[in-house]
Amino acid sequence: MWRSGDRDWVISARCRGVDTAMFFPQVENGRGAAVRAERQAKEVCRACPVIVECLDHAVRTGETHGVWGGMNHAERRAYERATKLRRLRSA
């Protein structure tokens, strides 16, 4: 359940108003098209003032599709594993 303020960051997201298809590329449209769409989405993310909040949201909620916080699902999983490993090593 969302608490008030949990997604206030969305208001400042650079992707706001951008066609969401770019952030959820479909391989069915062709591998090349999907790769281009993902690359374009990540370009939008790179200049986003709330990229950290977006990535945190995707990791926290277990988002399995699309580009969030400048990362695709596989990149987010690797990021999450690395973060957990760092926590374990510092404990």
Side-chain angles (χ1 to χ4, degrees):
M1 173 136 223
W2 294 105
R3 295 184 315 263
S4 176
D6 279 353
R7 293 204 42 186
D8 289 347
W9 58 268
V10 173
I11 295 167
S12 300
R14 187 162 183 246
C15 62
R16 204 173 139 103
V18 174
D19 182 8
T20 58
M22 179 191 314
F23 295 89
F24 298 92
Q26 302 298 313
V27 178
E28 296 82 30
N29 296 335
R31 179 80 179 124
V35 168
R36 282 189 298 279
E38 183 175 302
R39 190 177 308 128
Q40 290 173 330
K42 288 178 177 183
E43 186 64 33
V44 171
C45 293
R46 269 192 269 291
C48 186
V50 293
I51 190 171
V52 172
E53 292 84 351
C54 181
L55 177 59
D56 178 61
H57 165 77
V59 169
R60 201 170 15 88
T61 60
E63 187 63 57
T64 59
H65 300 287
V67 174
W68 293 81
M71 295 184 190
N72 64 30
H73 179 244
E75 293 164 337
R76 287 191 303 275
R77 284 183 49 209
Y79 168 82
E80 188 175 13
R81 283 191 301 268
T83 300
K84 286 178 182 177
L85 185 59
R86 278 193 298 275
R87 285 184 195 140
L88 288 172
R89 287 184 176 164
S90 67

